Amino acid sequence: RAPGRLDVMGGLAASDGGGAMLCHATLGDDCCAAVAIQPRVDRSVQVFSFDLFDEHKPCTLVIPLDALALPLDALKREFAEPGRAWAAGVVGALSILHDEHHIDLRDPSLRGFNVAIQNQIPQGAGLAAHAAIEVASMTAFVDAQSLRDGLDAMALARLCRRVDCELVGGSRGIDAFAAPAAGEEGDLTRLLTQPPFALQPSLRLPEGVRVNAIDSGVRPSDADRLTRKRARAAAMIGHKLILEKMRQLGSAAGRALIADPMNGFLANLALADYKRFFRPFLPESLKGGQFLLQHRATLDKQTQIEPDVNYPVQQATDHFVFDANRIREFIRYIEEAGERSIRSPERTLLLDKAGHLLYASHMAYFKDAQLASDDCDVLIELIRQRERAGFYGARMTAAGSGGVVAVLCDAGEVVDAALDEILAQYAGKTGKVPRKFTGSVASAWTAGTSIV
């Protein structure tokens, strides 16, 4: 079982090349992907999806182990055939384990499996539904073959990313797999999204404090995805222009710039330096063609600059630099609050500060990244109005433009009752049907056990 993950802090500044720290929570039993496997006597793998069965769609696929040992590019084409793509993230785990020499699918003594999957994580909500399926599948097969020795949670996450990128055709970063693979119950998983992408110690929430997820019922559109892509590209332009300004400042001081002081990531730029030395020189907007003519390319090879697009350089760069700083401050306030007694006024003040950083990060989605959702604004305003019930702050998560809202709040019946009132009011105002997730579980890998 692998839980859905809630992007408490991180968002674009972490997952879109900014290099910031992410803070993800695992969700509870009602928001998990589960994979069950059973040995077979032959050398085939049969996969069954309860979700597709419930939707009256083709829900079974049988594939020989020898076929899963094909070269990955050929296997990817096979999975791309109609009616097969849904199974790639499940049985693809065996192919990657074979490719990395953990198992030999051509060994005649190796027997196949029956595999059943069920996913309770809402699709398209920013809760890493596909990543959870891939993590649950990989964990199940690793356990079935007794392969845990020599692997850890991040090694598992990297294997899952290979499944996603090389067989499923996805483009998820390692950050999508960190919490489903390594999450601790009730804690926040911390990952610095810069090489070598090492997990940091979990961020323990103060006693009596939790994070909730509320599915707003809003899903990002294709236009929203283009806006996000534009924001990332604009920030990468900003990075290149800042580097050029650094080179000019160094030259004026008689020093040559021989490497990027930011080590490739805007998150490494001190906020005070950004505001004093570099932000005033960034253009509010810049046409892609003009940038390419002067600078040829950004430092990020994955970013393509389109000549006819006007990029909001200053706003997008603001989002990446300021949000990275908000994340650092959020972590500091949570850690300091955890050191105070539960009835300490200082603790309440620190939690208020952490919560208001969530509000500020949410506002930055609209103001800087231009990824707005009127319905999520309504939901967050309803939360803000009830802060005295035990709410500290909230923000739209993941890709923005809808999806799930993360809420930092107290645990208890008073908050639960207020939350139910908020959801009822939200439904009345927007016509959307929200859904709340209030629990948290450890990943199967972290728990160290599988259900047999």
Side-chain angles (χ1 to χ4, degrees):
R1 176 195 64 191
R5 66 104 171 94
L6 175 65
D7 168 34
V8 180
M9 282 293 260
L12 301 182
S15 61
D16 277 42
M21 184 77 72
L22 61 78
C23 297
H24 286 174
T26 61
L27 298 179
D29 284 322
D30 57 349
C31 195
C32 288
V35 175
I37 63 175
Q38 176 188 59
R40 291 170 63 100
V41 297
D42 61 12
R43 284 181 41 78
S44 293
V45 179
Q46 177 174 272
V47 194
F48 174 82
S49 168
F50 282 99
D51 305 297
L52 293 177
F53 176 80
D54 290 341
E55 296 170 10
H56 306 289
K57 296 178 179 179
C59 57
T60 302
L61 178 70
V62 179
I63 185 168
L65 288 178
D66 288 322
L68 292 173
L70 290 171
L72 296 180
D73 54 350
L75 194 57
K76 182 177 180 179
R77 290 193 295 270
E78 289 292 326
F79 280 127
E81 294 293 322
R84 298 179 181 178
W86 63 272
V90 182
V91 295
L94 288 169
S95 299
I96 295 300
L97 289 171
H98 172 83
D99 189 68
E100 298 225 352
H101 306 293
H102 292 293
I103 58 175
D104 182 2
L105 293 177
R106 294 191 176 91
D107 182 350
S109 67
L110 184 65
R111 296 294 176 237
F113 302 95
N114 292 321
V115 185
I117 63 172
Q118 185 171 35
N119 187 11
Q120 297 174 298
I121 304 172
Q123 299 285 333
L127 296 177
H130 290 289
I133 290 174
E134 290 158 5
V135 169
S137 302
M138 185 66 74
T139 305
F141 287 120
V142 164
D143 283 348
Q145 297 297 308
S146 301
L147 299 175
R148 283 196 179 233
D149 288 348
L151 294 175
D152 58 20
M154 283 306 292
L156 181 87
R158 291 186 176 94
L159 291 172
C160 293
R161 185 172 186 268
R162 286 199 65 196
V163 173
D164 189 73
C165 294
E166 299 179 46
L167 293 175
V168 177
S171 57
R172 297 170 185 85
I174 194 70
D175 55 285
F177 303 94
E184 300 277 0
E185 180 178 353
D187 291 355
L188 302 186
T189 302
R190 288 194 291 179
L191 178 73
L192 184 61
T193 55
Q194 302 178 23
F197 301 99
L199 279 173
Q200 309 297 306
S202 293
L203 179 62
R204 184 168 295 278
L205 293 173
E207 181 183 356
V209 174
R210 72 187 187 199
V211 288
N212 291 341
I214 303 176
D215 184 357
S216 67
V218 181
R219 296 293 181 265
S221 66
D222 289 340
D224 294 325
R225 283 183 275 274
L226 287 175
T227 299
R228 175 175 176 166
K229 182 179 178 182
R230 184 182 66 171
R232 175 194 170 114
M236 296 303 106
I237 290 174
H239 185 166
K240 184 66 175 284
L241 296 181
I242 289 170
L243 200 58
E244 289 299 318
K245 188 63 179 177
M246 287 179 174
R247 185 172 285 108
Q248 294 171 16
L249 293 173
S251 179
R255 300 172 64 184
L257 185 71
I258 59 175
D260 180 0
M262 296 172 282
N263 199 29
F265 298 98
L266 286 168
N268 296 329
L269 180 59
L271 181 59
D273 289 345
Y274 173 66
K275 291 192 290 186
R276 179 181 178 185
F277 297 111
F278 306 112
R279 188 178 187 275
F281 298 96
L282 291 179
E284 291 188 5
S285 65
L286 184 65
K287 202 159 188 177
Q290 182 180 349
F291 170 79
L292 292 173
L293 185 64
Q294 296 176 347
H295 303 282
R296 302 182 66 179
T298 68
L299 300 179
D300 179 25
K301 295 180 180 179
Q302 296 182 358
T303 299
Q304 293 185 343
I305 303 301
E306 299 180 31
D308 295 330
V309 173
N310 277 315
Y311 290 97
V313 176
Q314 190 180 85
Q315 285 179 300
T317 309
D318 279 357
H319 184 91
F320 278 64
V321 177
F322 278 81
D323 227 35
N325 186 71
R326 291 186 194 104
I327 296 163
R328 288 190 288 267
E329 291 293 287
F330 173 83
I331 292 170
R332 181 168 68 87
Y333 290 142
I334 292 294
E335 288 178 334
E336 291 182 4
E339 297 171 355
R340 304 299 197 275
S341 66
I342 195 166
R343 292 181 176 84
S344 166
E346 290 85 1
R347 174 184 134 125
T348 301
L349 178 61
L350 289 164
L351 290 171
D352 282 336
K353 288 182 177 181
H356 281 72
L357 286 169
L358 293 178
Y359 288 139
S361 182
H362 172 75
M363 183 61 68
Y365 266 114
F366 163 72
K367 178 177 174 290
D368 296 329
Q370 302 176 14
L371 290 165
S373 167
D374 292 340
D375 289 342
C376 286
D377 289 345
V378 169
L379 179 55
I380 289 173
E381 181 57 30
L382 290 171
I383 292 168
R384 187 190 289 268
Q385 292 170 6
R386 286 172 173 77
E387 284 184 353
R388 291 188 177 182
F391 296 101
Y392 298 106
R395 69 182 281 270
M396 188 167 56
T397 67
S401 303
V404 166
V405 167
V407 186
L408 181 69
C409 59
D410 288 331
E413 294 180 358
V414 174
V415 169
D416 289 339
L419 191 56
D420 288 338
E421 292 175 3
I422 289 170
L423 297 188
Q425 276 194 286
Y426 172 78
K429 286 176 176 288
T430 66
K432 299 291 191 303
V433 180
R435 183 181 175 189
K436 66 178 180 180
F437 302 97
T438 59
S440 173
V441 299
S443 70
W445 187 269
T446 301
T449 60
S450 293
I451 300 170
V452 180

